[in-house]
Structure formats: structure tokens, C-alpha cells
Amino acid sequence: AVLTPFTDAMPRLADAVPTATTADADYYTINVQQSTAAIAPGALTSILSYGGGFIGPTIRATRNRRVVAKFTNSLTESVVVHLHGGHTPAASDGFPTDEIVAGGTKVNTYPNTQRAATLWYHDHLHMMEAPHVYQGLHGMYIIRDPWEDGLRLPSGRYDVPILLRDAYLNDDNSLLYDPFLDWTVVLANGKPRPYFPVAPRKYRFRFLNGSNHRAFSLTLSDGRPVVQIASDGGLLAAPVSTASIEISSAERAEVVIDFSGCAHGTQLFLQDATLGQVLRFDVTESCGADLSQVPAQLAASLPPLPAANRTRSIELSLTPDGNYFPINGQIFDPDRVDSRIALGSTEIWTITDVSGWEHNFHLHLVQFRILDVNGLAPDPTQRGWKDTVVIPKNGVVRIQASFTDYPGKYVYHCHLLEHASYTGMMATMVVA
Ligand code: C2O
């Protein structure tokens, strides 16, 4: 479809409403259903949905307070729900074969024992996660904690989650899913190139790249740097001034943008290196005094890494026929155990690409630290807690993670979802 840019305002994502709340838990029921969404002007778009919208309701969690999420599946096919970045017991993690069959329900319990962070939940059904996520099975999940609340970062209506992803809309506004197509419409909270009215003050934006495989490299049109404050697993040790926001599929970057120097009526574009303009900020609102700040120290601590108990090599390759990307020579078999990890251990994983392609590597269960990328210290924006990391083509990335609790079977995989699904680029680990 040919779309006129900046026709619609970017919607704010709706928060999930608990069905019950107790002293230590919030309960939610989310229906996985067929629905329609007003993505572009004209016809409604048929989607798969958590709760009815194109982007599922944002679950707001508090550290050390459980979220008990009951998913009912009203589709005619199975689904699996995974909380990406969550430190989650195996039974609630959404292993690809842990299906919620059509008509079924499943209750996932998320303990939220981790730091404040921007996570997301999405489909993970074996061989189907790519089309399912593409059609709308994605939503955000935000954990807060008292430390972060005390920092006086921009909050409330000045703290704005934004799910960016690409899509291809047919002329009738239906979503076309073709794994080999380079989807060209970028959607911000489900709208193609929307505008977003802002006031002349600081905002916190929580960017999630919910694309199946597109990476974004985002800059502001006036050329100023942005201040990145958090990555996948929460706050960085200190704010990092960066020329561009780099997020591959599934990564999160939280930034603070200060519009206080902008005259009323200023338009500022967020633009992607490949796709051009993504979002227009219109400085047209007014506000009271901005009492928010970006403290020079953000994270309570990024503790020194514990000594590792063992190292593990992960090789990403390509089969000679060009059809599969095996991990350590094998394509995904959910019944096989690929890595056995001792409960309580700390491991260093050396992830090497020999396929000649860029991938991005996601590990369930833990947040890890990046030790080095091609032997060099990671970019300052990549030095906090991470659950997804780009593996440069023919490159080597070393990560370190501690498997402190929660035994069971989990997966790790390439988060370019077409690689995970169709080319077998997923493997299992059993923590015991
Ligand atoms: Cu975001 Cu295994 O997934």
C-alpha cells in the first residue's frame, strides 16, 4: 500500500489491567485471538492478537512481585507465550513445544526477581514463531523497582514505550508474510510513520525492536546525540551519549531525549539508516517545570563478573546446500539436549559465526554480559545486562552468564526469527 506519512498520531500502548491483586501478586487474563487493527487509513487489518490490539497490553510489573498471567487461546491453532528477557522458571518460559492448543489455557508465573527492565512477550510456537509474531503476537512487559523509581528519570506520561517493527501491507491493508521479502513499512506502536506530540522537556523512550529480522539504526534529524540509559536487562551503569540507537530484532534501548531547547512547533524526526523517517516528534504540547533528571550514575551496581566455572563454544554455520544454519553442527530438535549446564555455575560462551551471515543470539533464562566482540571491548551501550547480541558475520562474541537458580530445559537461538524457525538455528540447554 502507498501510505501518506504522518497522517496518524502514534498511539500510546494500553496497559494490561489486573483481574485480581493480592499482597504479592498481580493476576492477568489475556486472550489470544483473531482481531482487526486500524494500522493504515482505509480497511482494517486482520491480525493475531493478545487481547484485541495489534500490540498486546503492556504488563506493568514490580520487582519481587509475581505476575500470574493466564493465556486463553481462542485461535484455531496452537500458540506458545514466551517472556523475552524474563528470568522465568522453565514451566512458564514458553519452550517451543509447550503448546497452548486451540481452545486451551495456560497460566505462566513470572517471579520478577530481576532488576527493572523493559521486556516483551511474544509467540514461540515451534516453527511458527516468525509468522505469529509478524501477525501481531507481541506485547511489552515493564518491570520497575524502587531503585529506579528513586532516580527521578522522566516518568508517567513522559515515559513512553515504543514498539518498532516493519511490515508489508497489501493494497487492501492486509499483512503479507513472506519470509524472503524485505518488509518496507515501519510501524511505531502499530502506525506507519506517525507523529507524536511532545512538550519541551525530557522524555524517556523505551524502544523495542519487534521486527522479525530487521535491525534499526536510529538517529535524530537535527544530528544531536541521544542519551541511552538502558539496554535489554535494565539500566546501564551510566548514561551513554550515542549518535545512533542500534537495535537488532528483539533488542531494547531506552533513551532520554530532551526537547526543552526546541521552539514551539519544532518538528524532529527519528530516522532509520535504511528506511528513512520513522516517527516525527512535534513540539506542540505544554508542560509544567521538568523536575526529571538523568543522574550520572544509573545502575545501583553492575557487579564485577564472577569467575567462570567453564567455557562453551557455540558455532553458527551454514549447511553446504545453503538451507540451514546449524548451531554446533546440528539443526534444532526440541527433544535433544544440546548443552548441559550446572545449576549455580557461571559460564563464558564463545559464539563464533562461520556461516558468513550476521545473526543475533538470544539466550533464555538469564541476562548476560558481553565480554568482547571480535576481541574488542563492546560499545558502551552494550556493557550493561543483555539477553540478545548481534554476532557479526564471521565474527566472535564472548558472553558471560550465571545460572543461579531455576533448573530445567530452555532454548537459545538466533532471534532473526526466520532463521530460528525455518533454518533450525535454535538449540536446547538443560540446567540441572
Ligand atoms: Cu524473543 Cu526465544 O525469544
Side-chain angles (χ1 to χ4, degrees):
V2 180
L3 299 165
T4 313
F6 313 114
T7 318
D8 288 312
M10 182 183 75
R12 287 174 181 265
L13 299 178
D15 288 344
V17 179
T19 54
T21 285
T22 62
D24 62 353
D26 297 310
Y27 292 78
Y28 295 90
T29 299
I30 294 177
N31 189 25
V32 190
Q33 61 189 96
Q34 200 87 48
S35 188
T36 56
I39 293 177
L44 294 173
T45 300
S46 290
I47 57 166
L48 300 183
S49 164
Y50 292 121
F54 182 56
I55 297 173
T58 302
I59 296 176
R60 299 245 171 213
T62 303
R63 187 174 189 174
N64 294 325
R65 206 182 143 72
R66 277 178 303 128
V67 161
V68 182
K70 176 173 160 185
F71 292 93
T72 57
N73 182 6
S74 301
L75 300 176
T76 53
E77 55 189 306
S78 294
V79 296
V80 168
V81 183
H82 168 58
L83 176 60
H84 180 117
H87 183 54
T88 307
S92 292
D93 191 57
F95 192 84
T97 52
D98 200 358
E99 300 183 20
I100 313 174
V101 297
T105 65
K106 181 166 192 301
V107 177
N108 284 347
T109 298
Y110 304 122
N112 301 311
T113 53
Q114 63 201 92
R115 314 156 81 235
T118 302
L119 313 181
W120 63 303
Y121 58 103
H122 66 75
D123 192 77
H124 219 302
L125 179 65
H126 182 41
M127 290 301 280
M128 287 299 289
E129 71 276 17
H132 278 179
V133 172
Y134 181 81
Q135 290 173 90
L137 293 184
H138 43 35
M140 291 177 82
Y141 186 107
I142 294 173
I143 305 177
R144 67 193 293 177
D145 66 22
W147 168 269
E148 191 183 277
D149 288 348
L151 293 178
R152 268 204 292 130
L153 291 162
S155 62
R157 74 179 270 104
Y158 306 111
D159 173 354
V160 186
I162 301 178
L163 189 154
L164 294 179
R165 55 157 291 178
D166 58 356
Y168 187 95
L169 289 177
N170 293 312
D171 286 337
D172 64 358
N173 280 349
S174 57
L175 278 169
L176 175 69
Y177 179 72
D178 174 346
F180 300 104
L181 193 76
D182 200 15
W183 302 307
T184 48
V185 182
V186 59
L187 305 174
N189 285 353
K191 291 285 186 187
R193 291 189 184 165
Y195 61 90
F196 187 65
V198 294
R201 54 158 290 147
K202 291 188 280 304
Y203 281 72
R204 175 182 189 167
F205 294 107
R206 300 170 185 257
F207 288 107
L208 157 65
N209 184 347
S211 303
N212 276 30
H213 58 250
R214 175 178 297 281
F216 291 112
S217 174
L218 305 165
T219 54
L220 289 171
S221 54
D222 65 357
R224 70 164 111 170
V226 293
V227 176
Q228 187 168 338
I229 58 169
S231 60
D232 302 336
L235 293 172
L236 300 171
V240 174
S241 173
T242 177
S244 61
I245 305 165
E246 304 289 332
I247 34 175
S248 70
S249 166
E251 285 187 300
R252 285 83 71 207
E254 298 185 37
V255 304
V256 172
I257 300 177
D258 189 352
F259 300 100
S260 64
C262 300
H264 188 88
T266 301
Q267 295 184 336
L268 202 59
F269 296 89
L270 183 73
Q271 52 199 22
D272 174 65
T274 308
L275 295 178
Q277 294 167 341
V278 165
L279 174 61
R280 190 183 73 200
F281 297 109
D282 293 352
V283 187
T284 51
E285 300 216 316
S286 51
C287 61
D290 180 4
L291 301 177
S292 70
Q293 57 170 9
V294 182
Q297 187 204 354
L298 290 170
S301 61
L302 281 186
L305 295 163
N309 305 90
R310 67 161 286 171
T311 58
R312 195 177 290 278
S313 297
I314 304 288
E315 186 188 76
L316 313 176
S317 62
L318 178 66
T319 52
D321 63 11
N323 288 338
Y324 295 97
F325 287 111
I327 296 180
N328 285 348
Q330 296 194 284
I331 63 165
F332 183 48
D333 174 352
D335 296 324
R336 192 181 60 223
V337 177
D338 296 304
S339 297
R340 290 186 187 277
I341 296 170
L343 189 64
S345 66
T346 293
E347 297 203 352
I348 291 174
W349 292 23
T350 303
I351 307 155
T352 307
D353 175 64
V354 299
S355 75
W357 288 63
E358 180 176 294
H359 298 287
N360 91 7
F361 190 82
H362 169 50
L363 189 51
H364 284 218
L365 176 63
V366 291
Q367 291 286 333
F368 55 77
R369 300 285 294 280
I370 303 172
L371 299 181
D372 41 51
V373 177
N374 291 339
L376 303 171
D379 184 83
T381 59
Q382 302 271 309
R383 291 182 194 172
W385 293 100
K386 295 285 296 166
D387 54 51
T388 307
V389 59
V390 171
I391 313 297
K393 72 174 178 182
N394 301 314
V396 187
V397 175
R398 289 194 315 143
I399 63 173
Q400 177 161 336
S402 295
F403 298 85
T404 50
D405 47 14
Y406 301 152
K409 191 174 184 182
Y410 295 87
V411 290
Y412 52 90
H413 57 92
C414 180
H415 214 291
L416 307 180
L417 292 182
E418 280 66 34
H419 289 180
S421 293
Y422 306 119
T423 69
M425 206 168 197
M426 181 155 358
T428 66
M429 58 181 182
V430 167
V431 181

